[in-house]
């Protein structure tokens, strides 16, 4: 069982440090609830093999230290899995989130979170993004280490306009994936994670 170290998460997130006490408390209360729901669900369905929930939460929200996403109205997350990063971003941002997760067990877990935590800003899609007829344009499209950048951009093209940015959670090979791309920024966190912000349509 995990026991969350809340002060460690706050210590390493500038975004959290700047929140009001009320918003911070609400975030912490939600992540503690996430932990409880996840552990119960994981026992039966084994949907994720991560070792440290603090690391996963930090990885999910650290992106907000590098780019202001508070303006976003629609955020699409591709391959949401057990909710990283989208669930934790949805705890902090007021956008409407559209989570694409075709795997039945993971999708059911996301529905459970939505209902237990009363997350009205979540819409959970049980399809691959390329099979969806949802008609929205995303301000931000997030995805964590799902597939190569260009492949992902091509699949998401119906959700993009000239203002859409991709917030991609990547590793050390990101430079190879970006060959031929322009209009991107890279930020690294603790040597392992590289956040890539890409304007695909400019």
């Amino acid at each position: 069982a995990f026991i969350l170290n809340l002060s460690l998460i706050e210590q390493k997130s500038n975004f959290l440090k700047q929140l009001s006490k009320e918003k911070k408390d609400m975030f912490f209360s939600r992540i503690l609830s996430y932990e409880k729901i996840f552990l119960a669900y994981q026992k039966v369905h084994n949907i994720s093999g991560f070792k440290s929930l603090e690391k996963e939460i930090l990885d999910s929200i650290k992106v907000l230290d590098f780019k202001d996403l508070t303006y976003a109205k629609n955020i699409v997350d591709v391959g949401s899995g057990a909710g990283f990063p989208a669930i934790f971003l949805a705890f902090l941002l007021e956008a409407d989130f559209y989570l694409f997760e075709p795997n039945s067990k993971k999708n059911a877990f996301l529905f459970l979170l939505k209902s237990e935590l009363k997350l009205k800003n979540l819409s959970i899609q049980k399809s691959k993004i390329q099979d969806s007829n949802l008609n929205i344009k995303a301000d931000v499209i997030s995805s964590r280490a799902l597939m190569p950048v260009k492949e992902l951009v091509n699949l998401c093209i119906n959700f993009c306009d000239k203002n859409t940015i991709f917030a991609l959670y990547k590793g050390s090979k990101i430079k190879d994936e970006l060959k031929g791309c322009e209009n991107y920024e890279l930020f690294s966190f603790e040597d392992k994670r590289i956040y890539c912000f890409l304007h695909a349509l400019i």
Side-chain angles (χ1 to χ4, degrees), residues 61-80:
I61 67 172
K62 187 69 188 174
V63 74
L64 301 172
D65 286 0
F66 300 117
K67 182 68 85 179
D68 177 11
L69 301 179
T70 54
Y71 70 90
K73 294 197 166 47
N74 291 323
I75 296 180
V76 164
D77 184 68
V78 189
S80 302

Side-chain angles (χ1 to χ4, degrees), residues 59 62-63 66-67 69 140-145 147-150 152-153 164-171 173-179 181-189 193-200:
D59 182 50
K62 187 69 188 174
V63 74
F66 300 117
K67 182 68 85 179
L69 301 179
V140 177
I141 296 177
S142 59
S143 184
R144 189 166 103 151
M147 64 179 72
V149 171
K150 289 171 191 169
L152 181 71
V153 169
T164 303
I165 66 165
F166 284 79
L168 305 174
Y169 291 60
K170 288 290 183 176
K173 296 198 172 69
I174 180 65
K175 288 273 177 63
D176 299 336
E177 293 184 33
L178 289 167
K179 278 186 182 138
C181 298
E182 296 173 9
N183 299 304
Y184 64 81
E185 297 170 279
L186 300 177
F187 298 91
S188 62
F189 174 53
R193 171 63 72 212
I194 296 177
Y195 299 103
C196 170
F197 299 102
L198 173 71
H199 285 268

Side-chain angles (χ1 to χ4, degrees), residues 14-171:
N14 297 328
F15 186 88
L16 277 185
K17 284 179 194 156
Q18 290 159 17
L19 287 182
S20 67
K21 184 177 184 309
E22 186 189 0
K23 284 190 171 167
K24 213 180 290 176
D25 288 349
M26 184 188 258
F27 176 72
F28 287 145
S29 145
R30 281 170 157 179
I31 63 177
L32 291 168
S33 300
Y34 174 96
E35 179 183 43
K36 200 167 148 194
I37 296 163
F38 174 83
L39 288 171
Y41 195 87
Q42 175 78 346
K43 262 184 201 161
V44 184
H45 298 293
N46 192 23
I47 53 167
S48 186
F50 65 82
K51 302 287 182 288
S52 156
L53 188 49
E54 280 100 6
K55 276 189 183 151
E56 304 296 332
I57 293 170
L58 255 174
D59 182 50
S60 298
I61 67 172
K62 187 69 188 174
V63 74
L64 301 172
D65 286 0
F66 300 117
K67 182 68 85 179
D68 177 11
L69 301 179
T70 54
Y71 70 90
K73 294 197 166 47
N74 291 323
I75 296 180
V76 164
D77 184 68
V78 189
S80 302
F84 309 106
I87 291 291
F88 300 91
L89 293 175
F91 289 166
L92 293 171
L93 301 174
E94 292 183 8
D96 288 322
F97 281 78
Y98 299 85
L99 276 57
F100 285 86
E101 180 46 69
N103 176 289
S104 296
K105 287 178 183 175
K106 292 173 183 173
N107 190 279
F109 174 66
L110 295 170
F111 266 107
L112 179 66
L113 285 175
K114 175 182 163 124
S115 127
E116 294 278 322
L117 299 175
K118 302 184 172 48
L119 298 170
K120 295 190 176 73
N121 61 336
L122 285 198
S123 167
I124 295 154
Q125 310 292 316
K126 197 184 171 182
S127 69
K128 293 182 171 174
I129 194 157
Q130 62 269 37
D131 301 331
S132 170
N133 17 1
L134 198 64
N135 183 19
I136 58 153
K137 294 298 177 205
D139 299 301
V140 177
I141 296 177
S142 59
S143 184
R144 189 166 103 151
L146 181 70
M147 64 179 72
V149 171
K150 289 171 191 169
E151 213 178 302
L152 181 71
V153 169
N154 288 336
L155 293 182
C156 297
I157 213 73
N158 292 341
F159 290 85
C160 295
D161 63 20
K162 65 180 179 17
N163 299 314
T164 303
I165 66 165
F166 284 79
L168 305 174
Y169 291 60
K170 288 290 183 176

